[in-house]
Amino acid sequence: FIWEMNVMLAPAYWLGIKWRRANRMGAWLSIGIGTLLFLILPVAAPMLRPGMRYNEHLLRTTQPAARVTVECATEFDVQKREDEIARWDRLDLIGQAEGPRPQPLEVGREFEQRYIFARPSIFLTQDIKTDAQGRLFGKGRFSIELWILEQCGLDLQSNPYALNETLRILFRTLVPFVIMIVGSLLTWPDKPEVLSRFYAKMRTRVIPDAEADAREMELSLADPDRYRRLLIFPNSQFELYRWTRQDWIGFVLSVLGVGAVLLFIWIMVSIQ
């Protein structure tokens, strides 16, 4: 939830430092509309219209197809199947067993494993409950992102819950960027002299020595185009810089660090 709040500030940050055409009006539009759509309406809409929680359309749950895989049986699988057989036998005695009797497994033999995905509510975040009168109602916040995506023609009911959550987060991430881009293009840009001073500071690398750093900054402010050669697209509005040796070393070390973490996790989950 904290990450989803911060993502609304991301366009103002990233476009502000990487796109000269971005402006304060676009930033405020992105933050304001994003706050209304993703923070206020999901909470306020069910409060202002309690009937939403009983709406049959909004009470729908995901209905993904079961997944069947072929696996080699382990001791855990054998024990689990024995428990299923015992449960089926108990239900069969009272005439409540469903389907054929499960077949026993042997360690090392292949068998079909059937996975049934959870079927939570699509549009209300805390699933479906039953009230005192026995009526179904939805709890939690209203997922306005998924509602909008469904209005655009997406079939959310056949998706697994994880896929719908991915679509919701992508929508919440991208829409504020679109709002800021459109808002910035439709309003006046910031003053060129203000932009020149700002990006002159952005292009000047920080020096640990305070006096030397101050001297470098004075030179950059006196000549805002001093480091224009760093730009990949010098004739565009984008502030994308060429990588130096220091950038490449930092990037490679970061990738190796992430790879080491993933390798460690893979080793841990592979231990039997």
Side-chain angles (χ1 to χ4, degrees):
F1 180 73
I2 292 174
W3 178 85
E4 291 182 3
M5 288 182 61
N6 290 336
V7 77
M8 289 185 301
L9 304 176
Y13 177 80
W14 285 109
L15 293 178
I17 65 175
K18 292 299 180 183
W19 187 41
R20 297 176 69 96
R21 189 59 179 80
N23 60 22
R24 68 192 69 190
M25 184 59 70
W28 281 117
L29 284 172
S30 175
I31 294 171
I33 296 175
T35 300
L36 177 65
L37 282 178
F38 306 132
L39 287 183
I40 297 177
L41 284 181
V43 176
M47 293 175 62
L48 297 175
R49 298 190 61 184
M52 288 180 59
R53 298 193 181 277
Y54 294 89
N55 185 291
E56 291 186 3
H57 180 79
L58 299 181
L59 289 178
R60 289 179 303 148
T61 62
T62 58
Q63 302 290 331
R67 179 186 176 192
V68 179
T69 62
V70 177
E71 302 177 6
C72 288
T74 64
E75 293 182 2
F76 174 80
D77 295 319
V78 172
Q79 182 60 50
K80 181 180 177 182
R81 179 58 60 86
E82 290 177 356
D83 294 340
E84 292 173 353
I85 294 173
R87 188 182 308 110
W88 190 94
D89 290 340
R90 289 195 300 270
L91 293 174
D92 186 54
L93 290 176
I94 58 177
Q96 296 183 1
E98 296 182 359
R101 186 174 188 268
Q103 298 297 314
L105 298 177
E106 297 180 13
V107 176
R109 295 289 296 273
E110 289 187 346
F111 74 106
E112 286 190 351
Q113 180 75 282
R114 184 179 178 86
Y115 294 97
I116 305 296
F117 293 98
R119 297 180 175 181
S121 169
I122 298 174
F123 301 108
L124 293 157
T125 58
Q126 293 183 22
D127 218 346
I128 310 301
K129 306 291 182 181
T130 305
D131 65 10
Q133 288 77 38
R135 297 181 301 168
L136 295 177
F137 73 100
K139 293 190 65 178
R141 294 177 293 115
F142 173 52
S143 293
I144 192 170
E145 307 95 335
L146 293 180
W147 183 82
I148 293 174
L149 289 173
E150 188 187 55
Q151 302 309 305
C152 295
L154 291 185
D155 178 16
L156 302 176
Q157 198 163 12
S158 61
N159 291 342
Y161 171 75
L163 178 55
N164 283 344
E165 277 295 287
T166 301
L167 294 174
R168 186 182 69 82
I169 291 175
L170 285 174
F171 184 92
R172 180 175 286 211
T173 301
L174 296 177
V175 165
F177 279 90
V178 173
I179 294 172
M180 182 166 174
I181 291 171
V182 174
S184 297
L185 291 175
L186 294 179
T187 54
W188 294 105
D190 289 330
K191 296 179 180 179
E193 58 270 21
V194 174
L195 293 175
S196 295
R197 288 178 59 85
F198 175 75
Y199 288 110
K201 293 181 179 181
M202 290 297 300
R203 297 172 191 169
T204 306
R205 286 183 177 270
V206 176
I207 300 176
D209 182 84
E211 293 184 0
D213 185 72
R215 287 194 298 270
E216 286 294 310
M217 189 58 65
E218 288 178 3
L219 293 173
S220 295
L221 293 176
D223 180 12
D225 288 332
R226 181 185 177 207
Y227 287 114
R228 188 177 180 82
R229 66 181 186 280
L230 296 177
L231 297 177
I232 299 177
F233 306 109
N235 297 320
S236 72
Q237 298 276 7
F238 296 103
E239 289 281 324
L240 303 176
Y241 307 139
R242 303 179 189 277
W243 280 15
T244 65
R245 181 172 178 272
Q246 184 180 14
D247 296 319
W248 281 107
I249 291 174
F251 176 76
V252 170
L253 290 177
S254 298
V255 171
L256 292 176
V258 172
V261 172
L262 295 177
L263 177 61
F264 174 76
I265 294 174
W266 179 78
I267 292 173
M268 294 301 295
V269 299
S270 300
I271 296 175
Q272 299 185 7

